[in-house]
Amino acid sequence: MRKDDGGGGRSINLALSKRGVSALEVAGVSRDVLEFALPMRARMIHDLDGQTNRQPYHPNPQKYINSISRSGLNIVLLNAAEKYPNVHLQFGHKCKGMDLKSGTLFLENESNGHTIEVNNGPVFATDGAGSPLRDSLVAQVPGATESVDYLEYGYKELTLEALPDGNFAFAPEVLHIWPRGHFMLIALPNPDFTFTCTLFLPYEGEQSFAKLTNQASIEAFFQEFFGDLLPHKPDLVEEFLANPTGKLGTVRCKPWHYEDKLVLLGDAAHAVVPFYGQGMNASFEDCVVMNELMRDDNTAWAERFAKFSEQRIENANAIADLALYNFIEMRDYTADPVFALKRKAEVLLEEKFPEDFASKYSMVSFTNLPYRYAQLRGDLQDRILMEICGQISDLGTFDAATTLARIERESEGLAVH
Ligand SMILES: Cc1cc2nc3c(=O)[nH]c(=O)nc-3n(C[C@H](O)[C@H](O)[C@H](O)COP(=O)(O)OP(=O)(O)OC[C@H]3O[C@@H](n4cnc5c(N)ncnc54)[C@H](O)[C@@H]3O)c2cc1C
């Protein structure tokens, strides 16, 4: 990674939010990472006519998400890890699975094909969404379950170059969204004044990857739906045809551990679709929770792992659901007038009552509240605010204090874990 482009074939940049930053602080590397981060303080909605509408994430400009480079982040983490004398980095070895009973891990040396057996204490499996160690767990633990649900959508990344004068092609400090009903395109800024765009599109159907196979179809599609991008993308067709189409899926499994031998963390345990920008943040939060459990020297590994599974599975399922729902919100609702009014109402409530109100987005992105709580309370708030905003045409008649009182009344007794 530190020798080649390091991108790992996946998204070039990522949205880092509060949970991720909190974890990086615990690891002592937040400054190193935030040094190359770009703030994103709002969504910028691009309609079909090229008109834009800026929707701030929060009235407090200090609450924002960060666009960070995936490879930059990985390099900071690798550099930090190898400074520990008891950390040994072993590249070029592929994990093939594990015999759980004996605790033996099987690694294949990729240069000579030899298998190495390692039996060295607890294994923390962070081998990603396609985790062979999750496969071992599900195959060998009676009653263990897993589901891997792919969306009927794929994604394709495209780079938007800087303008000839060196500036960003679109406004910086925002996450750009082109919502188009059942599909959408987003763009996150990079420090070199480029944007990384991601097109989320069905594999099949009238507007789909299946239809975008040649210059004419790609150009016509972008002309119709993303016309304001075209002048900035002279190499569109070449890049579109050259870049791979990625898969999007949700992984759920239970349990996440086996005795004191194995525990799954990150995408290996709970890959989520990327529409809340939380997969990495949730994975870093796993590390914080595990770190806390490891502070207690009197607790055995098996007990730590059991507590970890218990605490995290419910929250991982919540962010998986929130992320799936946010896709619908981003592609369908961000352009809807009632939704836009509701966003304004949320911002007003957050401005007037910063201690008592946080939108669902804020709870997920700007706090460390459990995801499950953010989901329950957020759903309740959304229902109430959509109902009120459906009955008014602007915020002139919006009664913030009465609305907050209703939200608090109806959310009394909401379970927090
Ligand atoms: C398009 C897209 C956009 C995203 N955007 C965001 C975002 O904005 N914000 C956010 O928080 N999250 C985002 N995510 C999610 C984020 O990428 C993941 O949640 C995060 O990378 C999970 O980290 P991880 O370490 O658990 O797994 P990974 O990052 O997948 O790392 C797994 C590692 O294990 C290695 N590995 C895999 N198999 C083996 C094996 N058999 N043997 C040895 N090593 C192995 C891999 O090479 C890799 O290094 C996005 C994901 C996608 C696909």
Side-chain angles (χ1 to χ4, degrees), residues 359-360 363 373-383:
S359 69
K360 186 197 276 175
M363 284 188 276
Y373 178 78
Q375 182 186 33
L376 290 174
R377 168 114 187 187
D379 284 351
L380 185 140
Q381 292 176 175
D382 286 353
R383 178 176 52 74

Side-chain angles (χ1 to χ4, degrees), residues 10-11 14-15 70 95 126-128 132 155 266-267 274 277-281:
R10 282 187 317 177
S11 65
L14 294 153
R70 187 186 283 273
C95 177
T126 59
D127 48 350
Y155 73 92
D267 274 18
Q278 284 295 313
M280 163 193 62
N281 289 287

Side-chain angles (χ1 to χ4, degrees), residues 101 186 223 246 289 309 320 325 327 352 371 374 382:
K101 280 250 154 4
I186 66 170
Q223 185 65 59
V289 172
S309 280
Y325 180 74
F327 184 32
K352 281 194 155 193
Y371 284 126
D382 286 353

Side-chain angles (χ1 to χ4, degrees), residues 123-129 131-133 262-269 283 286-287:
V123 172
F124 296 81
T126 59
D127 48 350
S131 167
L133 287 168
L262 172 71
V263 65
L264 310 178
L265 292 97
D267 274 18
S283 303
D286 288 348
C287 302

